[in-house]
Amino acid sequence: GDEGSREGHHEERAARDEREVPGLRDGALPDYEVIAYSSRQIAITMAVAAVDSKADDVVILDLRKLSFSFDFFVLCSSSSDRRIQGIADDIEEGLSKNGGSAGHREGLPEGGWVLLDHGAVVGHLFSNELREFYGLERLWADAPRLSIPKHRRHPAAADRRHAAIAR
């Protein structure tokens, strides 16, 4: 009798878990496209904010087929510590405006490298010297690069819809 009630409890819990996870139905895995789209949107939002903030050489590396830990790296650089700080602030502001959750920031601008950790998406803001030294583009040379959309000051209604879907 005890074995049957334990199995029933596990089935009940599994059914409850399925209801709580978006895109999880009838024991199916979460919809990969929904998950990928949201990490992709985070990466694009980071990159657009970096471009708007006058960062140098903004690049999005797509690591989804190359890494189990990360979906995207967003790389950029600046010749000034103060600009690195400003770019990091602008990226985080851009993410919060678009419904992104607060990430974790590591490093100091005067150290030449600030890392913005948003789970599967990591922003790397370098001084020009440290970007060359660490060479993440060389380390991840096989990673495809995502194009960064041209930014418009007043997003079209379609863009607002996409931002709402990404949330």
Side-chain angles (χ1 to χ4, degrees):
D2 191 33
E3 188 65 34
S5 67
R6 213 175 331 161
E7 274 183 33
H9 172 73
H10 287 301
E11 287 172 14
E12 183 182 306
R13 184 170 169 203
R16 187 183 68 237
D17 289 348
E18 279 186 22
R19 285 192 302 274
E20 292 172 3
V21 179
L24 197 61
R25 292 175 304 282
D26 303 322
L29 292 172
D31 183 348
Y32 176 73
E33 285 302 311
V34 171
I35 294 168
Y37 183 76
S38 62
S39 64
R40 185 175 180 273
Q41 280 305 107
I42 291 168
I44 289 171
T45 300
M46 278 185 167
V48 167
V51 167
D52 283 355
S53 194
K54 308 289 188 265
D56 298 328
D57 197 16
V58 181
V59 173
I60 303 173
L61 300 179
D62 184 345
L63 307 177
R64 289 176 292 181
K65 292 186 175 152
L66 302 172
S67 169
F68 290 113
S69 304
F70 305 107
D71 286 351
F72 299 96
F73 278 174
V74 179
L75 311 177
C76 65
S77 48
S78 179
S79 55
S80 148
D81 297 346
R82 282 184 50 202
R83 285 302 317 131
I84 292 173
Q85 179 70 46
I87 294 164
D89 292 344
D90 289 348
I91 288 172
E92 291 188 336
E93 183 182 320
L95 287 169
S96 70
K97 272 189 199 168
N98 286 297
S101 59
H104 177 72
R105 188 187 291 205
E106 290 183 30
L108 297 169
E110 49 275 13
W113 187 357
V114 170
L115 184 142
L116 302 175
D117 181 350
H118 285 264
V121 183
V122 178
H124 296 274
L125 291 65
F126 291 105
S127 67
N128 294 329
E129 299 76 26
L130 283 187
R131 183 171 183 171
E132 182 62 32
F133 177 79
Y134 286 107
L136 291 184
E137 284 106 327
R138 288 190 306 276
L139 287 173
W140 293 97
D142 293 342
R145 292 177 180 216
L146 239 62
S147 61
I148 300 165
K150 296 285 182 255
H151 184 60
R152 292 166 306 283
R153 283 290 158 213
H154 301 289
D159 293 335
R160 283 196 295 276
R161 262 200 317 281
H162 288 303
I165 291 167
R167 282 188 211 126

